[in-house]
Amino acid sequence: MSVLQRVNDLLWGPGTLALLLGTGLFLTLRMHFLPWRRLGFALRSALGRDARRSDRGGVSPFSALMTTLAATIGTGNIVGVATALVAGGPGALLWMEVSALLGMATLFAESMLSVKYRRRDARGRWHGGPMYTMEAAFGRRAGRIAGCLFALFAAGASFGIGSMAQANAITDALSSTFGLPDFPVGLVLSLLSLLAILGGIGSISRLTSVLVPVMSAVYLAAGLAVIFGNAENLLPGILSLFRCAFSAEAVAGGIAGAALRWGVARGVFSNEAGLGSTGIAAAAADTDDPVRQGYISMTGAFFDTVVICTVTGLAICCSGVLGTVDAGGRPVDGAALTLLAFETVLGSLGSRFLAVSIVLFAFSTILGWAYQGEQAFLYLFRSRGAAVYRMAYALSILLGATARLETVYLFSDACNALMCIPNLVCVLLLSGEAVQSIRSRETL
């Protein structure tokens, strides 16, 4: 086992997972379950006409949400769900949903605080996120140090899981399905991404506001077709989620124990609740209402995990492919397992559809993380060097498209954990403000 793997095992051990779930549970209870009770209001606020308005030429609340979803709805919704089910059994899907439901309160708090403590630069653009909130939580000097550490790990994660890993997933999908060579695909992808991110949050949000809803709707339609095509297995599949998640073996550290660990871990990787990245995009929204933006931002966990990940997981569970082994006797995992599930109804079209879905999901993640990473980079260098970051980001896409990335994945996972810990401590320190804000608007 490599040193980096050991570091990851330590960082993503029971303590971190307990901190994630515990923070979400603590906030949900203190908020009197308002993130759940006001989910209807949050969805109407996110999808309504008012959310699409930007009176001052900035980024609308809807566009800010789409930028967040662009970063979170990625290959994890296809590959990560399958990995969780193989490692933790069907019950992992249920724990993914639990982590998302509890994570909504965390997302509300970190997004509301990011809007409250954001700053406007000389050109009138908003900059915010946990790094700015930390200065309010820890004091100016200590907060600046904590913010720089968070920003450093966020920028690192943007190059790893944000660009290189996604580019690698795209080239792998296009190579295995359509026979396209890696380098030309990576070069085109790098150039397209650079063109998209040169305009900053404005161009990124315009692209994601179209790309995210369309690709999500098409993927959900195909996933539901697989589920209903295997409708006779739907009820047994749902029952297996609960048996695996809450069986007696869980207490003894059996299958359900793995279900808890992998479900929570993959849920967090998918919706990023607690990592702090959502607050960066939320702070860009053209709004004077931090509470409403907090509600809008928290729907990201609902759309990403409760909706899309659940459809992927049920498609796998209902199709009967979970537990399939390859010619070498190893369990089929990742995209290959999801592909088997889609092929049970869509046939050979399933492989092409899934390849295109991976390309679109991964490309949207590249765009979403580009903005989040750039904001972290600008915080580190006091609003200088945007062009340098964008060029480096585009080059990392080309590198990721043609390289083996085992170390990149481990590095990215470590960065995510190192973002998560100071962000959650900050949220807990300022939880009183978040609780008071949401409870003062209880009549919404």
Side-chain angles (χ1 to χ4, degrees):
M1 183 183 294
S2 67
V3 173
L4 198 52
Q5 180 64 63
R6 289 173 182 162
V7 170
N8 266 285
D9 289 343
L10 177 63
L11 289 174
W12 283 108
T16 302
L17 297 180
L19 179 61
L20 283 161
L21 282 182
T23 300
L25 179 60
F26 171 73
L27 290 172
T28 300
L29 292 174
R30 286 199 67 191
M31 292 177 181
H32 295 173
F33 296 93
L34 282 169
W36 300 359
R37 292 161 50 197
R38 296 290 182 260
L39 179 58
F41 165 79
L43 292 172
R44 291 192 301 273
S45 298
L47 303 177
R49 184 177 301 175
D50 290 344
R52 300 171 188 269
R53 294 175 180 168
S54 178
D55 297 332
R56 286 160 289 189
V59 176
S60 69
F62 174 80
S63 295
L65 173 63
M66 291 302 105
T67 302
T68 296
L69 284 174
T72 58
I73 298 177
T75 55
N77 296 82
I78 298 173
V79 179
V81 175
T83 300
L85 292 176
V86 170
L93 179 60
L94 185 62
W95 285 111
M96 288 184 74
E97 294 171 349
V98 170
S99 72
L101 291 173
L102 294 177
M104 289 197 302
T106 307
L107 287 175
F108 171 89
E110 62 189 26
S111 299
M112 188 280 295
L113 291 168
S114 291
V115 174
K116 181 177 180 179
Y117 290 106
R118 64 186 176 176
R119 300 172 190 168
R120 197 186 288 272
D121 64 18
R123 298 175 61 182
R125 298 170 301 188
W126 287 116
H127 299 276
M131 48 278 197
Y132 296 93
T133 308
M134 287 174 186
E135 295 186 20
F138 303 129
R140 189 78 176 184
R141 185 171 182 177
R144 174 68 186 175
I145 295 173
C148 284
L149 288 174
F150 174 89
L152 178 65
F153 298 128
S158 75
F159 285 110
I161 200 66
S163 64
M164 296 178 69
Q166 304 304 320
N168 192 263
I170 290 174
T171 54
D172 183 60
L174 294 179
S175 174
S176 60
T177 305
F178 301 106
L180 299 179
D182 290 350
F183 183 79
V185 169
L187 182 60
V188 171
L189 179 63
S190 179
L191 292 174
L192 288 176
S193 301
L194 182 59
L195 288 175
I197 65 180
L198 280 177
I201 184 61
S203 62
I204 291 173
S205 64
R206 284 192 295 271
L207 274 172
T208 56
S209 293
V210 175
L211 179 60
V212 171
V214 171
M215 73 178 190
S216 299
V218 173
Y219 180 78
L220 286 173
L224 289 172
V226 174
I227 292 171
F228 289 118
N230 295 283
E232 68 277 5
N233 297 324
L234 179 57
L235 182 58
I238 293 175
L239 291 176
S240 70
L241 305 185
F242 289 90
R243 281 199 302 268
C244 179
F246 299 109
S247 63
E249 287 81 2
V251 180
I255 294 176
L260 173 61
R261 178 188 173 188
W262 285 98
V264 172
R266 291 304 166 193
V268 170
F269 287 151
S270 180
N271 57 57
E272 298 183 7
L275 297 189
S277 53
T278 297
I280 297 176
D286 191 359
T287 179
D288 296 321
D289 192 339
V291 173
R292 185 179 292 267
Q293 188 59 43
Y295 271 121
I296 291 173
S297 295
M298 82 175 195
T299 63
F302 178 80
F303 288 124
D304 176 273
T305 306
V306 177
V307 177
I308 297 179
C309 288
T310 298
V311 167
T312 300
L314 287 178
I316 293 172
C317 292
C318 294
S319 61
V321 299
L322 187 61
T324 303
V325 296
D326 60 19
R330 295 179 296 271
V332 177
D333 199 353
L337 182 64
T338 309
L339 172 60
L340 287 180
F342 275 63
E343 285 182 338
T344 61
V345 172
L346 302 179
S348 60
L349 180 63
S351 60
R352 295 181 178 86
F353 173 80
L354 200 64
V356 173
S357 296
I358 289 174
V359 170
L360 293 177
F361 279 34
F363 183 63
S364 75
T365 300
I366 288 173
L367 297 183
W369 265 103
Y371 176 71
Q372 294 173 357
E374 180 180 313
Q375 289 301 300
F377 187 87
L378 292 176
Y379 182 84
L380 286 170
F381 294 97
R382 298 185 182 276
S383 301
R384 295 187 295 271
V388 173
Y389 174 85
R390 292 168 184 175
M391 290 301 300
Y393 194 80
L395 289 174
S396 72
I397 293 171
L398 181 59
L399 176 62
T402 56
R404 295 179 61 86
L405 297 180
E406 290 84 354
T407 302
V408 171
Y409 279 105
L410 291 173
F411 171 74
S412 300
D413 286 349
C415 285
N416 282 341
L418 292 169
M419 290 167 61
C420 163
I421 295 170
N423 176 63
L424 290 177
V425 171
C426 174
V427 168
L428 288 171
L429 286 175
L430 296 179
S431 61
E433 293 185 30
V435 170
Q436 183 179 10
S437 296
I438 194 172
R439 288 173 61 178
S440 68
R441 303 283 294 278
E442 192 166 348
T443 57
L444 283 172

